[in-house]
Amino acid sequence: MQESMNIKRNILLNPGPATTTDTVKMAQIVPDICPREKEFASMMKEMREDLVRIVHGDLGKYTSVLFCGSGTINIDICLNSLLPEGKKVLVINNGAYSTRAAEICEYYGLPFIDLKFPVDEQPDLEIIEQTLQQNPDIALVHTTHNETGTGILNPVREIGALVHRYGAVFTVDTTSTYAMRPIDIEKDNIDFCMASAQKGLMAMTGLSFVVGNTEMIRKSADYPKRSYYCNLYLQYHFFETTGEMHFTPPVQTIYAARQALDEYFAEGETAKWQRHLSVFEAIHAGLERLGFQDIIKRELQAGLVVSVRYPDDANWDFEKVHDYCYERGYTIYPGKVSEQSTFRLCALGAITAEDIKEFFVVLEEALNAYNIKIPVYYVK
Ligand SMILES: *Cc1c(COP(=O)(O)O)cnc(C)c1O
C-alpha cells in the first residue's frame, strides 16, 4: 500500500504542521467507524496514557485530555478552566505566543497581569518573584516553553519553582517542544503542558491535548465555567466516565496520531531529539555559509526554530525567495517579531540534516536567480 501511494514529499521548514511520514499519512485511511464504539474508546485511552508517558508523567498523578482543535485551543482551555473565582492570572510574556495567552485572558474578562519582557531575552526571575510577592491573588501563571516566533527557550523549571513557592498553578505552552525537546513534567515543575498532533508528534492537524495534574483538574470542577466547549474539567470528566470525547472527535486524525505515537516510541526520545538538533545545526551551518544573521543569541535558542534577519540587499524579496523554494518542495515561513523583518526556518518534522543540505542548494539558487549578493549583505 505504501509503495503505491507515491505522494510528493515536501520539506516543511515552517513551525508546524510538520513534514509527516507516509505511514502516518496512510494511517488515516481506515474503515468508517462511529467513534462511540468501544474499539475507538480503547484506542483513545491508550493514547491518553502515551501522551503522559512522553513527558515522563506518573500515571497515578498526571493525565491527558484530548480536544478537537488547533494548538491555540489548549491555551484557551487552560486559562479559562483553571482560574478560581476572584483570582488572577500572571502571563510571563516575551513573545507572540504568550501575547496570545494575554489576549485570551482579555477576551474572557479574566483578571490578569501581562508581565512583558523583551522578545530576545529570557524573562527576569527576580521581576517574576517580585510580581508574585506583590500579588498574592495570582493563582495561575502561564508562559511559553519555546517562543516559536523567535525560537527562544524559556527557563520553565526555574519559573515553575517560583510559581510553586507562591502556591500558584503553572501552565506552560509546550506546543513547539513537546515530543521533541525532552520534558519531565514533574522535574520541570510544570502542572500543565500542552501540544498539538501536527508539531512534535509529526501527525495531522486537528487534535490537541493538555497533559497535567489530575488532582488540579478535579479541584477545578468547582471553578467558574466560562466556556461550554472548551472546559478542561468537563472534557476530563466525560473521558473518565464514558471513555469518549464529549463531542465528535477528529476520527481519522486520531488514527494518524496513534501511528505517530508508535513511530515516536520506536525512534526514541533521545534519538529523535538528536535528529532535530542535527537539523537545527544544519540550518545554522547553511545560514552562516550564505552570510545570514539570526536575531536570538545562540545559547538562548531552544534548538528548533531559527529566526533570520532579512538582508539589507535592495533585491531581497521574501515572497519571491519563498515562491522559488516552494515550487521545489521547500516551505520557508515569515517571522513573528513586530519590530524586525525576519523569516523562520524550523527543525520540526520527519526531516534530516541531509534534507537541509539540499534545501540550501535551492536557497542559494534562489538568491542567484534574483541577484541577491552572496554572502548576503547587512548594513550593520
Ligand atoms: C503552533 C503553536 C501554537 C498553536 O498554534 P495553532 O495555529 O493554533 O496550531 C501554540 N503555541 C505555540 C508555542 C506554537 O508553536
Side-chain angles (χ1 to χ4, degrees):
M1 200 152 59
Q2 274 137 253
E3 280 83 358
S4 68
M5 240 199 345
N6 211 8
I7 295 179
K8 182 178 169 228
R9 181 165 178 266
N10 285 329
I11 304 299
L12 301 186
L13 302 176
N14 47 296
T19 296
T20 59
T21 61
D22 285 353
T23 37
V24 166
K25 290 183 190 79
M26 278 313 288
Q28 295 176 102
I29 313 293
V30 287
D32 294 323
I33 182 170
C34 171
R36 302 296 175 207
E37 292 300 330
K38 280 196 205 75
E39 182 188 336
F40 198 78
S42 69
M43 180 174 63
M44 281 199 291
K45 181 169 190 292
E46 202 185 332
M47 173 173 292
R48 288 178 58 210
E49 292 176 355
D50 280 345
L51 293 171
V52 177
R53 285 186 186 105
I54 287 184
V55 291
H56 305 280
D58 172 350
L59 287 167
K61 286 194 223 168
Y62 297 92
T63 187
S64 79
V65 187
L66 312 180
F67 293 90
C68 183
S70 80
T72 305
I73 202 170
N74 295 323
I75 315 175
D76 185 316
I77 288 159
C78 284
L79 292 170
N80 92 62
S81 308
L82 292 168
L83 186 69
E85 185 75 69
K87 299 289 186 182
K88 202 184 268 171
V89 180
L90 171 64
V91 179
I92 297 167
N93 182 353
N94 62 340
Y97 288 91
S98 289
T99 297
R100 195 172 286 183
E103 284 170 1
I104 289 168
C105 291
E106 193 186 317
Y107 283 22
Y108 277 106
L110 306 175
F112 74 105
I113 297 172
D114 185 8
L115 190 61
K116 285 198 175 112
F117 295 96
V119 297
D120 56 355
E121 287 173 29
Q122 290 182 326
D124 183 325
L125 295 172
E126 268 175 48
I127 296 176
I128 295 171
E129 177 150 24
Q130 275 168 21
T131 309
L132 287 164
Q133 232 160 27
Q134 289 160 4
N135 298 274
D137 56 347
I138 292 171
L140 182 57
V141 179
H142 178 90
T143 198
T144 309
H145 193 197
N146 168 27
E147 258 299 346
T148 322
T150 55
I152 199 167
L153 180 72
N154 284 330
V156 294
R157 186 177 289 198
E158 290 76 9
I159 297 172
L162 281 177
V163 172
H164 289 160
R165 201 175 307 151
Y166 288 85
V169 168
F170 190 34
T171 63
V172 183
D173 179 353
T174 53
T175 314
S176 60
T177 44
Y178 180 95
M180 292 179 284
R181 194 183 171 96
I183 293 172
D184 184 310
I185 190 165
E186 192 157 8
K187 282 198 194 128
D188 286 330
N189 297 315
I190 297 171
D191 298 312
F192 292 89
C193 61
M194 57 193 79
S196 204
Q198 83 273 14
K199 298 232 176 168
L201 282 182
M202 317 190 309
M204 298 299 156
T205 58
L207 175 69
S208 293
F209 43 87
V210 173
V211 182
N213 185 299
T214 313
E215 203 42 53
M216 288 176 185
I217 299 179
R218 294 209 183 110
K219 213 171 139 196
S220 74
D222 303 330
Y223 297 177
K225 302 286 178 298
R226 303 175 176 95
S227 168
Y228 186 78
Y229 199 81
C230 298
N231 182 275
L232 186 58
Y233 176 77
L234 292 178
Q235 185 84 328
Y236 164 79
H237 184 68
F238 211 84
F239 266 119
E240 292 298 308
T241 50
T242 68
E244 295 170 10
M245 237 188 231
H246 198 173
F247 305 106
T248 309
V251 176
Q252 290 73 14
T253 294
I254 288 176
Y255 279 106
R258 179 63 261 163
Q259 173 66 24
L261 280 164
D262 292 342
E263 292 180 16
Y264 173 87
F265 290 112
E267 185 172 10
E269 179 183 56
T270 307
K272 185 170 186 290
W273 175 229
Q274 286 309 314
R275 178 173 58 75
H276 289 300
L277 270 183
S278 74
V279 169
F280 177 75
E281 299 298 339
I283 290 172
H284 272 294
L287 287 170
E288 254 160 55
R289 189 173 60 77
L290 296 175
F292 283 99
Q293 298 180 358
D294 53 356
I295 64 162
I296 302 293
K297 276 200 217 103
R298 187 69 175 267
E299 65 270 23
L300 299 184
Q301 295 180 19
L304 292 157
V305 176
V306 186
S307 264
V308 190
R309 285 177 67 196
Y310 279 4
D312 293 319
D313 193 308
N315 289 334
W316 171 259
D317 182 328
F318 176 77
E319 284 305 318
K320 283 186 184 161
V321 173
H322 165 275
D323 292 353
Y324 188 98
C325 297
Y326 180 77
E327 282 156 21
R328 290 156 183 81
Y330 298 92
T331 302
I332 65 175
Y333 204 67
K336 223 181 201 325
V337 183
S338 44
E339 318 85 78
Q340 284 187 69
S341 293
T342 56
F343 67 96
R344 284 179 282 175
L345 300 177
C346 306
L348 281 68
I351 60 176
T352 62
E354 202 51 45
D355 293 317
I356 300 300
K357 278 193 200 126
E358 288 163 20
F359 158 70
F360 274 102
V361 171
V362 173
L363 180 62
E364 186 167 0
E365 274 171 28
L367 299 178
N368 285 325
Y370 294 112
N371 294 315
I372 301 159
K373 239 181 78 197
I374 299 174
V376 295
Y377 160 81
Y378 291 97
V379 175
K380 65 165 188 69

